Amino acid sequence: MTHLEHDWDSPIWRHWLRELARDHTLARFDMRGSGLSDHEVAEQGIEAWIQDLEAVANALGWRRFPLLGMCQGGAVAAAYAARHPERVSRLILYNAYAHGGYTSGIPKQKTDEARALEAMIEVGWGRRQGTFREVFARLMAPREAGEQVAWWAELQRITAEPDTAVRLWRAFHTLDIRGQLEKVRAPTLVVHVKSDRMVPFEMGRALASGISGAHFVPLEGRNHILQPDDPGWPVFVSEFRRFLTSQGDDTPAPPPGFETLTGRERVVLEAIAQGLSNPAIAQRLSIAPKTARNHVSNICGKLDIPTRAQLIVTAREAGFGEHGPSA
């Protein structure tokens, strides 16, 4: 729950924003239906959110970048990294989870708690007074009082309408990216506050275990959004800085299936990405048009891509065809 304009003055977010932007260019966007994003949206859910992230990255012109996902944003970030391994150089997941409270494998008590909160959102979201205002604020910041609680309540009011809040809550709890975690190839740091009441600690640990090579760091604290006096805050800052500045192989990882292509198939894919037709590819490589057509068919089969147009897009996203057609 964010609001791009108000967050810079927020006692909850301002130290985060200053730290994240200290040595890096920081790009943020409000989730659809909230903050400064369009509030009149027909679709909510993981696929829509991934498309929004794709749109932001493309609009910025960033071809390769580190990505930070928080809470349900962690699922969006991880799914994006799985889908676009060539674009994500580092992945950081904070208090994140792979599947929500309305999915399989969740204890009944947790599902019942999520449904009870959904009912409270329907009747209490955004009200200046009332029980839900206090319940929600205490879940987010159990050890804070006064200014913190008041800010969470105000953020409810300015960031999303009650019906949108209900739709988002349902979507948060029906998302499930467990089947996509094995496709994440970026070096990944998963951090989770031990006593987080919004996303249980074991959910973060399970998320980390599903990503090959992920580094998991537990953080001391109770606030969902760590505050400067939380013992876990300096640990997070240290781990965040170390992770983004660590040396290592930062070359783009090939998207799933690309490693199965032969050398000749890669040459053909380069030509396809440059927009060459099968006859033109055959002429360039001094092969028969039928052979060129067979190569294209084999590439589509290995990459599980049904059309040539989609193959061109995928190849270009992976870095093929950057130099344009040869003379």
Side-chain angles (χ1 to χ4, degrees), residues 261 295-308 311:
L261 299 181
H295 279 312
V296 174
S297 178
N298 289 338
I299 293 170
C300 286
K302 288 182 177 181
L303 300 182
D304 193 24
I305 295 175
T307 68
R308 190 185 190 93
L311 179 61

Side-chain angles (χ1 to χ4, degrees), residues 182-235:
E182 63 181 13
K183 298 178 182 179
V184 175
R185 300 189 175 193
T188 302
L189 172 66
V190 181
V191 296
H192 210 102
V193 177
K194 287 184 177 179
S195 298
D196 181 18
R197 293 186 179 182
M198 289 299 292
V199 182
F201 180 73
E202 59 268 21
M203 297 292 286
R205 188 157 49 192
L207 172 64
S209 68
I211 299 175
S212 177
H215 180 51
F216 183 68
V217 177
L219 301 172
E220 297 292 339
R222 296 177 62 196
N223 287 316
H224 182 60
I225 306 300
L226 285 173
Q227 298 303 296
D229 60 347
D230 279 316
W233 173 246
V235 177

Side-chain angles (χ1 to χ4, degrees), residues 274-294:
Q274 293 174 3
L276 271 65
S277 64
N278 287 352
I281 294 173
Q283 183 177 8
R284 173 187 287 188
L285 302 181
S286 299
I287 58 178
K290 180 179 178 181
T291 303
R293 186 169 62 250
N294 289 340

Side-chain angles (χ1 to χ4, degrees), residues 144-175:
E144 303 293 344
E147 185 184 23
Q148 293 272 348
V149 173
W151 189 270
W152 278 119
E154 177 66 6
L155 194 56
Q156 287 180 45
R157 189 183 66 81
I158 65 175
T159 193
E161 289 74 25
D163 60 334
T164 299
V166 172
R167 291 180 63 201
L168 285 170
W169 183 263
R170 290 172 182 163
F172 295 162
H173 283 285
T174 55
L175 70 81

Side-chain angles (χ1 to χ4, degrees), residues 2 4 27-32 37 49 52-53 56 76:
T2 61
L4 292 180
R28 304 172 62 233
F29 63 97
D30 291 323
M31 176 167 282
R32 58 168 56 197
S37 291
W49 303 333
D52 291 343
L53 177 52
V56 171
V76 179

